[in-house]
Amino acid sequence: MQFGLSESQEFLKDSARKFFAGECPSAQMRRLMETDTAYDAALWSKLTDQGYTGIIFPEAYGGVGLGKVELMLLMEEAGRALLPGPFFATVVLAGSVLDSVCSPAHKQKYLAPICGGEARSTVAILESNASWNPRDIQLNAANGKLTGEKYFVSDAAIADFIIVVARNGVFVVNAKAPGLKISPMIAMDLTRKLYVVEFNNTPAEEIGAITGLARAFDVATAALSAELVGGMQRTLDITVEYAKTRKQFGKPIGTFQAVQHQCADMYLETESSRSAVYYAGWALEENSPDAAIAVSIAKMYASDAARTVGNRGIQIHGGMGFTWENDVHLYYRRAKGSETAFGDATFHRERIASMVIDAGGVAAKSA
Amino acid sequence: MDLNLTSEELQFRDELRSWLASNVPKDWNEWREKPIEESFPYLRAWQRKLQEGRWAAVSWPKEYAGRSATLMQQALFWEEMARVEAPPMANSLGLGLIGPTIIAYGTEAQKQRYIPKILSAEEIWCQGFSEPNAGSDLAGLQTQAVLHGDHYVVNGQKVWTSYGWVGDWCELVVRTDATAAKHKGLTVVLVDMKSPGVEVRPLRQMTGESEFNELFFRDVRVPAENVLGKVNDGWNVAMSTLMYERGSYGARLHLIFKRYITRLIELARNIQRNGRPAAQDPIIRQKLAQCSAEIEIMRFNQMRAFSRLTATGVPGPEGSIQKIFWSELNQRLQQIAQEILGSYGQLLAGDPRAIDNGMWSYAYLRTRGNTIEAGTSEVQRNIIGHFVLGLPRSY
């Protein structure tokens, strides 16, 4: 048993970190978050050159064919850089849905352009009730047309096509389709834009059944948790650096145990989230019977931890932590958006409860 | 990353499993409730049996009758022991902490003299580290040893000594140079507990029992050859003992906690809360789920720490997050148990209405010690702050 990264995994993580540090430093991230879509075509083509847009997808569709652990590592580094724009929506979410639910012909049509960096996409799931329980979805397709609305759809304005989850199937709607209206929701996270997507007798192409979604959503949920880990790590690093240099009462504030112990807790929360995320990535890759519960454990823990780490980071920065120019609040805003996406900690605790209490212990069997 | 067991690990586990299947005592449940003084010969016999199978000290090098087990194999060892609910070994400190320290720092003569009898449980070992005025600040300890020709004369007091009442030998940290800086004037000596001037008193703890002792040393003569390691290098010797403590302890906890939560879920199905089983109460469900998840995360953290340690060879201060994690988790777990049991949670062993013979009320009290023993949570956070994150020393 080896719960550490292999040489090639270390290499991938390391080169991703360097790539994002070079191509998406804080100044670039801040520039993009002030734009309407937070999308940058030049950055996207560099992401494509790295192979990141096809990281986990089959080579038949122009992907790189790496595993879920590698996806976790890439998303961790993207999260550390607070990568703005539609990478999560397009590659992780839309890509995984296409990979799970549709036929080879549809994959060639929709997944291949994602891998090749030619298309941006997203998945429209939530409705006005904002429930992550798939049973609460109301939208129905009739005669190849959709009428209704979806909320909290990330990066919809930059998508070339939108994947829509309806009660009776998974559909693709072209960005130029008639009756499609996309309007921004003004939300906390400035780096990942959210939209209301309205359909009015809008033509939609059915690409698969909703039964295939669980697996894709598990991959996306784990990857989002990995992104949270990267954000936590960056918040911890910035905060520790500040605690070493900021002086009050004649010494660095990191000398004081009240500060030091909060940093220690940030470390514990970050590392524990990371352990849970890596395990979830491995369980998904191995199709382990505890993969679903492992994903919920990771999302549950990371959702709470990211908020707590942010709380502590802001507090330790004192007045500086409350300013706009300090990056900590930008991570904190992302953490809030990601906390609720794909179910918050309360949602996943109930999912865990249904598995360990009601089903008599999926987790118990795995040990 | 590959979380599947290797063929060596599988072979190790299967060999142990089949050995345990035919050797683990079946009557431990009848003994475990008895006072430790009564069950101690039973535990000695169990350790001897393990030693005959070469399972008493798997982490030790092969030349000392160990198996040179890797960390993963050690973790598997404790998991398997927990799985079959094997009794503890009588000489657990000798095997887990003190033996490895003697193997690392002892002279050839010391190894030959002490190691075989640690393995056979013929000589039980205890640890004299903490003092009434030196707990977290261990280096401030005051027990004094003065050299008189070929022996030291020891005076002082130790506290929180496990196995003191049955100990034949003690790994004792003493001050040998009162003029040096506090970490530099310490020495570890091996003390025969039958020496004149050694007095052992039970220390009654908040659970009502006495797991620990106080040790008093009055003009106790200790031969100079009983110094372990170098004179005035005792801090390093003692720290290496504590590293073994942090390294191996966590491995067995996962299954123990898992057993707690499984039982608790079973109880929650049968205890009524607001007109329905507690297991259907949304708040109880949230708390049980949180706890179940954290028990798994504790195991993931442990596996990652072991892999890191295997790769680098040195136990790192990351072990501190394990100590914080399991001790605080155990307290949260017992808190939830109390919430589920309600008024019954307070009943002690002996009350006919106590659930699980008072196990939960005992654990509720006992776990308060978890964040204090083996390095308080505060000290662990200091270690992370300074040694992991590189913040300035706070004291």
Side-chain angles (χ1 to χ4, degrees):
Chain A
M1 183 190 288
Q2 197 340 69
F3 199 161
L5 303 182
S6 69
E7 230 169 86
S8 61
Q9 288 166 338
E10 288 283 7
F11 179 80
L12 174 99
K13 189 164 193 283
D14 199 50
S15 51
R17 183 181 308 185
K18 287 181 184 140
F19 172 81
F20 290 121
E23 301 298 335
C24 189
S26 174
Q28 163 81 337
M29 176 262 289
R30 280 178 172 263
R31 185 184 70 75
L32 288 174
M33 82 183 188
E34 301 291 354
T35 65
D36 283 347
T37 60
Y39 170 73
D40 181 89
L43 178 57
W44 197 265
S45 97
K46 286 173 186 160
L47 290 165
T48 308
D49 293 343
Q50 292 291 314
Y52 295 161
T53 50
I55 178 162
I56 50 169
F57 304 118
E59 289 170 30
Y61 306 105
V64 182
L66 291 177
K68 305 300 182 292
V69 174
E70 283 78 5
L71 176 66
M72 299 306 128
L73 302 176
L74 176 63
M75 289 308 291
E76 186 184 337
E77 294 306 324
R80 185 196 293 259
L82 202 55
L83 177 68
F87 186 81
F88 174 78
T90 301
V91 176
V92 180
L93 184 50
S96 298
V97 166
L98 292 165
D99 195 25
S100 296
V101 306
C102 67
S103 68
H106 278 131
K107 285 182 192 176
Q108 207 54 258
K109 186 172 172 189
Y110 293 114
L111 183 57
I114 287 177
C115 293
E118 297 117 38
R120 263 65 49 200
S121 184
T122 188
V123 182
I125 307 161
L126 288 189
E127 296 176 3
S128 61
N129 58 30
S131 165
W132 286 99
N133 188 333
R135 284 192 299 268
D136 292 331
I137 289 176
Q138 303 296 324
L139 186 68
N140 245 316
N143 305 319
K145 303 240 165 107
L146 289 167
T147 297
E149 55 185 12
K150 291 285 188 181
Y151 280 30
F152 304 101
V153 183
S154 64
D155 305 291
I158 195 67
D160 298 288
F161 58 87
I162 296 172
I163 299 169
V164 184
V165 179
R167 288 185 79 82
N168 53 348
V170 182
F171 297 83
V172 169
V173 170
N174 192 287
K176 298 189 185 73
L180 178 69
K181 189 179 163 207
I182 295 169
S183 36
M185 297 178 92
I186 303 165
M188 218 182 263
D189 179 10
L190 304 165
T191 57
R192 180 172 287 154
K193 313 289 185 183
L194 299 179
Y195 299 88
V196 173
V197 177
E198 292 168 75
F199 311 99
N200 188 357
N201 229 10
T202 305
E205 180 184 8
E206 182 166 1
I207 57 164
I210 54 170
T211 43
L213 287 173
R215 165 81 184 174
F217 285 2
D218 274 348
V219 172
T221 305
L224 196 61
S225 310
E227 196 190 74
L228 282 168
V229 170
M232 283 184 242
Q233 184 66 56
R234 182 72 188 133
T235 302
L236 172 63
D237 291 347
I238 297 172
T239 303
V240 166
E241 197 45 46
Y242 187 76
K244 283 178 188 170
T245 48
R246 166 74 174 176
K247 285 190 177 155
Q248 287 289 276
F249 308 101
K251 39 178 110 160
I253 59 167
T255 312
F256 305 121
Q257 290 189 359
V259 170
Q260 214 169 87
H261 289 190
Q262 294 234 48
C263 291
D265 283 332
M266 292 168 79
Y267 174 78
L268 181 145
E269 288 151 359
T270 304
E271 287 298 335
S272 300
S273 303
R274 182 175 281 133
S275 298
V277 162
Y278 287 3
Y279 184 83
W282 183 84
L284 285 167
E285 183 61 29
E286 295 280 306
N287 285 313
S288 165
D290 67 345
I293 197 168
V295 168
S296 276
I297 288 172
K299 183 60 167 60
M300 176 221 93
Y301 195 87
S303 292
D304 279 342
R307 187 186 59 249
T308 312
V309 165
N311 288 342
R312 298 185 202 277
I314 292 168
Q315 181 67 24
I316 291 169
H317 275 84
M320 274 304 294
F322 197 61
T323 63
W324 185 264
E325 72 248 40
N326 191 299
D327 280 353
V328 172
H329 78 100
L330 301 177
Y331 288 89
Y332 193 63
R333 287 161 176 268
R334 168 74 69 84
K336 176 48 76 179
S338 301
E339 178 185 334
T340 57
F342 295 91
D344 64 4
T346 305
F347 175 92
H348 284 280
R349 276 190 287 268
E350 177 51 36
R351 198 167 94 131
I352 293 165
S354 70
M355 290 187 266
V356 300
I357 300 177
D358 305 335
V362 177
K365 279 172 209 145
S366 72
Chain B
M1 185 186 290
D2 183 1
L3 304 182
N4 292 309
L5 296 182
T6 64
S7 57
E8 290 84 8
E9 287 162 353
L10 274 173
Q11 195 188 337
F12 178 91
R13 189 197 67 183
D14 292 345
E15 188 185 341
L16 174 59
R17 244 182 215 185
S18 71
W19 187 88
L20 284 173
S22 44
N23 288 284
V24 78
K26 306 279 184 281
D27 55 350
W28 170 232
N29 265 333
E30 298 157 33
W31 286 88
R32 68 191 314 162
E33 305 292 336
K34 295 184 190 189
I36 183 100
E37 294 82 353
E38 261 178 69
S39 62
F40 208 76
Y42 181 97
L43 302 181
R44 278 190 207 258
W46 167 232
Q47 183 180 325
R48 270 195 300 277
K49 195 171 220 182
L50 280 157
Q51 189 214 354
E52 283 158 22
R54 216 158 52 83
W55 292 110
V58 294
S59 68
W60 292 17
K62 290 193 173 113
E63 67 254 46
Y64 297 105
R67 287 173 180 257
S68 304
T70 63
L71 280 165
M72 285 304 165
Q73 289 170 331
Q74 292 172 47
L76 289 171
F77 175 82
W78 291 113
E79 268 185 37
E80 291 303 315
M81 292 282 279
R83 192 187 303 277
V84 296
E85 297 192 54
M89 286 183 251
N91 210 3
S92 65
L93 295 182
L95 294 166
L97 312 180
I98 298 159
T101 312
I102 292 176
I103 290 172
Y105 285 93
T107 62
E108 206 39 56
Q110 285 172 333
K111 292 180 203 175
Q112 284 182 17
R113 163 65 189 80
Y114 299 113
I115 292 295
K117 291 183 177 178
I118 289 178
L119 277 167
S120 64
E122 250 175 289
E123 289 175 349
I124 302 300
W125 282 74
C126 61
Q127 236 182 313
F129 279 43
S130 297
E131 296 183 3
N133 290 315
S136 292
D137 185 12
L138 182 62
L141 62 86
Q142 290 158 351
T143 295
Q144 193 191 43
V146 179
L147 188 61
H148 285 277
D150 63 349
H151 65 270
Y152 285 91
V153 175
V154 175
N155 279 287
Q157 184 188 348
K158 295 288 177 180
V159 75
W160 299 115
T161 304
S162 311
Y163 300 96
W165 60 278
V166 72
D168 300 293
W169 285 86
C170 180
E171 181 192 1
L172 189 70
V173 193
V174 293
R175 187 162 299 284
T176 38
D177 183 352
T179 63
K182 64 181 185 177
H183 295 81
K184 304 255 160 100
L186 303 177
T187 300
V188 170
V189 288
L190 309 177
V191 179
D192 184 346
M193 293 289 282
K194 290 172 202 76
S195 310
V198 177
E199 190 195 340
V200 181
R201 292 185 203 160
L203 179 61
R204 195 166 187 215
Q205 66 210 47
M206 65 178 267
T207 56
E209 13 148 54
S210 300
E211 283 174 77
F212 306 95
N213 296 97
E214 290 180 292
L215 308 181
F216 295 85
F217 298 88
R218 285 190 200 87
D219 294 327
V220 176
R221 289 168 63 112
V222 178
E225 70 205 39
N226 285 16
V227 168
L228 183 63
K230 294 198 186 86
V231 174
N232 296 332
D233 191 35
W235 181 252
N236 288 325
V237 179
M239 281 306 104
S240 115
T241 300
L242 293 182
M243 281 299 187
Y244 291 114
E245 183 168 25
R246 283 174 202 147
S248 64
Y249 191 75
R252 69 197 86 172
L253 290 173
H254 176 247
L255 278 180
I256 294 172
F257 284 16
K258 198 133 196 166
R259 200 165 285 140
Y260 274 137
I261 194 90
T262 305
R263 175 67 185 142
L264 206 47
I265 288 169
E266 200 175 290
L267 288 169
R269 289 199 186 105
N270 295 302
I271 291 172
Q272 292 292 309
R273 180 67 36 90
N274 301 322
R276 60 184 166 189
Q280 287 171 25
D281 179 275
I283 293 174
I284 297 284
R285 290 169 70 80
Q286 287 280 312
K287 292 181 178 184
L288 286 171
Q290 178 79 28
C291 228
S292 301
E294 289 182 7
I295 291 169
E296 293 307 306
I297 292 174
M298 177 178 82
R299 179 167 68 103
F300 305 152
N301 279 341
Q302 181 93 54
M303 291 192 292
R304 266 183 76 215
F306 279 180
S307 295
R308 166 106 62 113
L309 179 49
T310 306
T312 62
V314 213
E318 308 84 19
S320 292
I321 77 167
Q322 282 300 103
K323 172 69 212 315
I324 296 173
F325 202 102
W326 76 253
S327 58
E328 296 184 355
L329 170 57
N330 205 8
Q331 291 177 348
R332 288 193 289 273
L333 179 60
Q334 298 309 329
Q335 173 58 36
I336 295 158
Q338 288 293 318
E339 282 181 55
I340 291 172
L341 300 186
S343 296
Y344 285 91
Q346 67 195 305
L347 295 179
L348 302 177
D351 188 290
R353 288 160 201 86
I355 290 168
D356 295 334
N357 196 27
M359 169 180 99
W360 300 101
S361 57
Y362 170 79
Y364 177 69
L365 296 175
R366 181 63 186 83
T367 50
R368 298 322 303 176
N370 289 166
T371 47
I372 299 166
E373 59 202 326
T376 64
S377 290
E378 288 73 21
V379 163
Q380 306 297 349
R381 286 184 168 90
N382 289 344
I383 292 172
I384 294 172
H386 181 62
F387 292 98
V388 180
L389 302 175
L391 292 167
R393 250 187 199 288
S394 62
Y395 49 90

